[in-house]
Amino acid sequence: MSVETMPLLSDSYLEALYAGRPRPFRSVAQGYLDRVRRFCDTRSFDLLWIEKEILPWLPYGGERALLDAAPPYVLDFDDAWFHRYDLSRWWPVRRLLGDKLDRLMRRAALVTVGNGYLAGRAESAGARHVEILPTVVDLDHYPVPSPSEPDRPMVVGWIGSPITEHYLDLIAGPLRDVMEAEGVRISLVGASPAALGALRPDRYLWEEETESRRIAGFDVGVMPLSDTPWERGKCGYKLIQYMACGKPVVASPVGMNRDIVEHGVNGFLATTPEDWTMALGRLAADPDLRRRMGTAGRARVEALYSLDRMAPRLVDLLQAARRG
């Protein structure tokens, strides 16, 4: 099997996104033009594997024209992108794009999704074949570091982007409480300079080359979320990254988080500010608990969320989709 990739957006777009700078419009426009050109010459492929859609924010008709002359295709969803359209506050978006992804799912040979919430949407849209494939990581890129010195302050870490950093506001109070009571430090990777500014966290730019090393410097990883339809489609990638590095986690019990986190075993699920303060306080006070939970988390990733475990199943599904 050979694979050719066709990214929509350039590295410069991602660099601007993670640095909190305005995204370059010219780069975006060029990405759309290049994608249309590439899709006009896809007959040599046996199968297309599309992340969500071909041309985001453009109506279904354009994609239908490109796909009419294309080989069978697979759609992949790792978040509830359809809610960007059908729950938009702008009625033109709801009217023009509200059912776009449902229509694409109906035509797909296979729809792969990261959790049950996304699977339910694909099935209700009339997709012929839906498979849940959880988010995975390549464990070779996530070595478990040596335990930190027991007498140094615990580091609570978060990794994300300026687009998702607003979730940190949900736990600003609990973080302040444990900083004052336990002397913990906060480490943010990929957030803008404004995120949790009053708490004076340590900040690091997101870079692919240093991502796992930054996570390895955490003692606990956090993933706060609101409980709305959009968040229920999230697939818990950052939790899997934390756990792959042998870190205990604290997360909101929303969507896939409830499946990934075994409460009291590899971390804690926290709903209220009091829950967050209690969970972080327990971990700050007990290095041995952090070690046990981190070990359990790594084992869970090895069993359920590793590339080695999931790749053979994915290959089989793609081969079956190609055959029809």
Side-chain angles (χ1 to χ4, degrees):
M1 176 185 292
S2 63
V3 178
E4 182 175 340
T5 60
M6 304 180 191
L8 175 62
L9 300 171
S10 65
D11 288 346
S12 63
Y13 177 93
L14 293 177
E15 289 167 2
L17 173 68
Y18 280 93
R21 301 193 304 269
R23 270 76 81 193
F25 174 79
R26 181 176 298 179
S27 173
V28 174
Q30 188 62 52
Y32 273 65
L33 289 173
D34 290 344
R35 173 156 285 191
V36 171
R37 292 192 190 105
R38 295 293 297 277
F39 260 84
C40 289
D41 186 28
T42 57
R43 294 181 181 85
S44 61
F45 295 101
D46 296 310
L47 183 72
L48 300 177
W49 190 17
I50 302 167
E51 183 185 1
K52 303 180 183 72
E53 56 189 322
I54 304 169
L55 302 170
W57 299 101
L58 295 184
Y60 171 72
E63 300 203 11
R64 181 182 62 188
L66 294 174
L67 291 169
D68 281 344
Y73 67 90
V74 175
L75 280 186
D76 180 61
F77 290 89
D78 62 355
D79 59 39
W81 188 258
F82 38 81
H83 288 325
R84 295 287 192 193
Y85 300 150
D86 65 8
L87 297 182
S88 172
R89 59 177 176 162
W90 305 105
W91 72 262
V93 172
R94 297 195 302 272
R95 183 177 182 104
L96 291 174
L97 302 174
D99 66 345
K100 175 187 176 181
L101 298 185
D102 298 297
R103 298 169 76 177
L104 288 171
M105 286 190 275
R106 281 196 291 273
R107 291 189 55 178
L110 168 68
V111 179
T112 56
V113 297
N115 64 31
Y117 183 82
L118 302 175
R121 176 59 175 252
E123 289 163 357
S124 66
R128 288 177 279 165
H129 184 186
V130 182
E131 290 284 345
I132 298 177
L133 297 177
T135 299
V136 298
V137 294
D138 183 350
L139 287 171
D140 290 341
H141 296 162
Y142 293 87
V144 178
S146 301
S148 59
E149 300 85 353
D151 56 346
R152 78 162 172 80
M154 184 180 82
V155 176
V156 176
W158 176 92
I159 187 168
S161 76
I163 292 176
T164 58
E165 69 182 32
H166 63 93
Y167 295 121
L168 290 168
D169 295 337
L170 298 172
I171 59 170
L175 288 173
R176 183 182 303 106
D177 291 343
V178 294
M179 289 179 74
E180 293 174 353
E182 305 289 347
V184 306
R185 291 169 43 215
I186 311 299
S187 180
L188 305 180
V189 179
S192 76
L196 296 180
L199 300 186
R200 303 178 65 183
D202 299 324
R203 302 180 189 278
Y204 304 95
L205 292 177
W206 178 87
E207 297 176 317
E208 184 178 4
E209 296 78 11
T210 61
E211 180 180 49
S212 62
R213 178 158 54 87
R214 295 299 184 199
I215 295 173
F218 301 166
D219 292 308
V220 176
V222 296
M223 187 175 177
L225 288 176
S226 306
D227 189 5
T228 74
W230 172 258
E231 283 75 21
R232 291 166 202 156
K234 287 189 172 293
C235 295
Y237 179 50
K238 59 173 55 71
L239 290 180
I240 295 167
Q241 289 182 294
Y242 302 149
M243 290 161 55
C245 286
K247 307 302 177 181
V249 298
V250 185
S252 301
V254 177
M256 191 66 180
N257 289 8
R258 291 176 296 180
D259 297 324
I260 296 171
V261 180
E262 298 175 285
H263 183 73
V265 177
N266 54 29
F268 296 107
L269 293 169
T271 302
T272 66
E274 293 76 18
D275 293 339
W276 278 92
T277 300
M278 182 177 298
L280 292 170
R282 283 189 61 185
L283 290 167
D286 193 340
D288 190 55
L289 176 63
R290 298 202 299 267
R291 180 189 59 77
R292 294 196 308 271
M293 285 188 162
T295 299
R298 172 73 181 200
R300 188 161 177 81
V301 172
E302 290 172 350
L304 298 176
Y305 305 110
S306 72
L307 181 63
D308 288 345
R309 290 277 185 171
M310 198 56 59
R313 182 180 169 208
L314 173 60
V315 170
D316 288 345
L317 289 168
L318 294 180
Q319 294 280 20
R322 177 182 64 87
R323 294 190 298 267

